[in-house]
Amino acid sequence: LDVARLRDSFALVAKFGDEVPLYFYSRLFLNYPDTRELFPVTMAEQRQHLVEALQKIIALAEDPAGLTEYAGKLGVTHRRFGTRPGQYEAVGQCLLATLEHFAGDAWTPELAADWTAAYTLVSGIMNGAALEDEAENPAWYDGLVVAQEWRSFDVSVVHVTVQPRMVWTPGQSVPVEVPGRPRLWRWYSIACAPPCEALEFHVRVVDGGLVSLPFARLQPGARLRMGAPAGEMALRSADHDIVMVAGSTGLAPLKALLMQVAELDPAPDVEFFYGGRSQEGLYDLPWLELAADSHKFLTVTAVPGPASLTDTVMKEAHWRDRDIYMAGPAELVKSARERMTAAGVEPDRIRAEDFGWGEPE
Ligand SMILES: Cc1cc2nc3c(=O)[nH]c(=O)nc-3n(C[C@H](O)[C@H](O)[C@H](O)COP(=O)(O)OP(=O)(O)OC[C@H]3O[C@@H](n4cnc5c(N)ncnc54)[C@H](O)[C@@H]3O)c2cc1C
Ligand code: HEM
């Protein structure tokens, strides 16, 4: 494999921007109509995935361990999309035709051979990992809503029982697909520690969002699907004292971690900072205050807007010598992380989950 040649040809093709995935998917859906039903109705955000994946694969071409890990995870992820092994050939053909189309005169038999070899390698790893995972885990989990409650005008707490049994660690999230939004998967953190009878989700309705509103409104009896739990938001050490910072529904993964910490003996000290747009936005404060009343290791500071949660944490928390866990709006996570690392906190002591949506800090 001539990696430099692959990289150069991809750079040439990538110059055509969004035209590349548009061409690829049009070709795929026209020639292999059975693949269309696997994708959501609107393809705008999906187009990005193809180019990003190719970029990543080229970046990892000279790092076999990194490539095996990335492609392996991707193969397992594809199980919940319903991808069948036979469809890899269809995707490979369309991908090569797309590259040839945009590379123009630069396309040579050698380049075609390189791309074929690269695709065969990656799809082989993906299929192998998917097959291995099949022996241990379901392609997805079926969820049944057993309770739903609005806690504020835009935050709903939804309880969901799961089939078959799911194994997860506190702090992890699952991709969720709700009725009426087929093939649109969004990540939600599990807000309880195993073994909770029903998974608890805290769903914030995001303005203009496609999935959060229908998810928040699900009533008991509704069914949904979940993918495999994942995420790095796990307890780093049982011995280090902790600062937790939750913005809005960023409380969810931290609540699961708090439940885990409460089981430790002795439990490390936890300073919990909980922020929201207003007092009403602190939708689970009573639970936190009750926990603080019954556990000496926990202190809770509520920071209703417009006070800045980051400013309060920087001023009042003992973040310099503790492990830090935070979750919620992108701006919160970004600004708190930047200010702490600029002040000398080792990046490894910070565990953070950026929920993506924005809320000015
Ligand atoms: C690991 C993980 C765990 C998560 N856990 C939870 C959880 O427990 N609870 C929860 O409520 N949410 C959680 N989220 C967020 C959740 O996955 C969805 O992104 C969210 O619910 C919005 O989905 P949607 O389909 O409604 O919005 P989409 O249709 O995806 O659109 C989102 C809207 O927000 C805008 N937007 C997107 N990103 C930004 C940004 N960075 N700044 C400003 N605006 C932006 C878009 O333009 C669009 O208008 C988590 C996200 C991740 C990655
Ligand atoms: C080497 C081959 C492939 C690569 C590198 C690849 C890459 C990707 C990536 C990066 C994603 C986004 C994953 C996520 O959201 O977490 C994705 C999603 C998806 N892929 Fe693939 N894929 C490959 C093969 C296939 C095949 C053969 C099919 C079957 C037709 C397929 C169908 C899908 C579907 C349905 C989705 C979900 C919708 C989306 O997010 O685009 N993929 N793929």
Side-chain angles (χ1 to χ4, degrees):
L1 257 187
D2 187 335
V3 175
R5 195 157 60 193
L6 281 181
R7 194 176 298 130
D8 291 349
S9 65
F10 186 67
L12 198 69
V13 170
K15 280 197 194 127
F16 290 88
D18 211 27
E19 274 184 59
V20 178
L22 208 59
Y23 183 93
F24 167 79
Y25 284 113
S26 307
R27 209 175 161 111
L28 182 68
F29 297 159
L30 213 62
N31 292 336
Y32 302 95
D34 64 309
T35 56
R36 182 60 184 100
E37 64 181 28
L38 302 183
F39 291 86
V41 177
T42 48
M43 287 292 294
E45 69 185 81
Q46 269 58 39
R47 282 192 225 131
Q48 230 12 51
H49 291 157
L50 175 73
V51 175
E52 279 171 11
L54 291 176
Q55 258 154 1
K56 180 95 188 173
I57 286 164
I58 289 174
L60 290 171
E62 284 164 314
D63 169 11
L67 184 64
T68 303
E69 193 192 339
Y70 173 72
K73 276 193 187 154
L74 203 52
V76 172
T77 299
H78 276 69
R79 291 192 61 215
R80 77 166 188 270
F81 301 144
T83 310
R84 293 186 294 278
Q87 290 171 324
Y88 277 84
E89 206 186 310
V91 164
Q93 269 178 17
C94 294
L95 182 63
L96 246 75
T98 304
L99 294 166
E100 181 176 357
H101 176 81
F102 288 100
D105 290 345
W107 194 251
T108 60
E110 292 76 27
L111 200 52
D114 278 350
W115 274 106
T116 305
Y119 183 81
T120 308
L121 174 70
V122 171
S123 53
I125 300 172
M126 286 174 69
N127 265 320
L131 211 64
E132 222 171 273
D133 190 65
E134 218 173 283
E136 289 173 23
N137 299 303
W140 64 78
Y141 298 83
D142 290 311
L144 173 68
V145 175
V146 289
Q148 182 275 347
E149 188 190 349
W150 286 101
R151 291 288 182 82
S152 74
F153 77 94
D154 62 352
V155 175
S156 160
V157 172
V158 184
H159 286 93
V160 177
T161 56
V162 185
Q163 283 292 340
R165 196 173 78 88
M166 183 189 281
V167 177
W168 81 98
T169 55
Q172 283 194 314
S173 321
V174 283
V176 173
E177 182 201 51
V178 298
R181 295 284 184 267
R183 311 293 180 187
L184 284 178
W185 295 88
R186 296 287 187 270
W187 289 89
Y188 290 92
S189 302
I190 302 171
C192 56
C196 44
E197 238 170 74
L199 301 186
E200 179 172 317
F201 292 105
H202 298 183
V203 186
R204 158 91 174 260
V205 176
V206 173
D207 215 14
L210 288 169
V211 173
S212 54
L213 180 62
F215 188 10
R217 294 171 64 170
L218 289 182
Q219 292 301 301
R223 294 184 182 275
L224 47 84
R225 290 202 299 162
M226 285 160 284
E232 309 301 320
M233 184 65 128
L235 195 65
R236 179 171 174 259
S237 158
D239 304 324
H240 294 182
D241 287 341
I242 289 170
V243 172
M244 289 188 181
V245 184
S248 183
T249 46
L251 176 61
L254 303 183
K255 185 172 180 177
L257 285 173
L258 260 189
M259 289 175 166
Q260 181 184 16
V261 169
E263 296 295 316
L264 299 174
D265 187 18
D269 269 359
V270 179
E271 292 176 344
F272 202 110
F273 289 77
Y274 182 31
R277 258 188 317 218
S278 60
Q279 192 67 37
E280 197 204 1
L282 305 178
Y283 61 91
D284 218 7
L285 189 57
W287 182 89
L288 272 176
E289 287 179 338
L290 209 63
D293 283 347
S294 48
H295 294 288
K296 263 207 340 263
F297 73 84
L298 177 64
T299 55
V300 173
T301 305
V303 189
S308 158
L309 179 56
T310 313
D311 285 349
T312 310
V313 169
M314 296 307 289
K315 215 160 49 199
E316 296 180 17
H318 293 92
W319 48 269
R320 284 181 191 279
D321 45 13
R322 293 181 174 222
D323 284 352
I324 298 135
Y325 299 83
M326 50 193 177
E331 282 83 351
L332 164 73
V333 170
K334 185 166 177 281
S335 75
R337 191 204 290 272
E338 279 174 4
R339 286 169 69 174
M340 287 175 187
T341 46
V345 171
E346 288 162 49
D348 184 46
R349 281 209 289 116
I350 303 176
R351 296 278 150 102
E353 203 73 275
D354 168 352
F355 280 7
W357 36 261
E359 181 165 90
E361 248 281 285

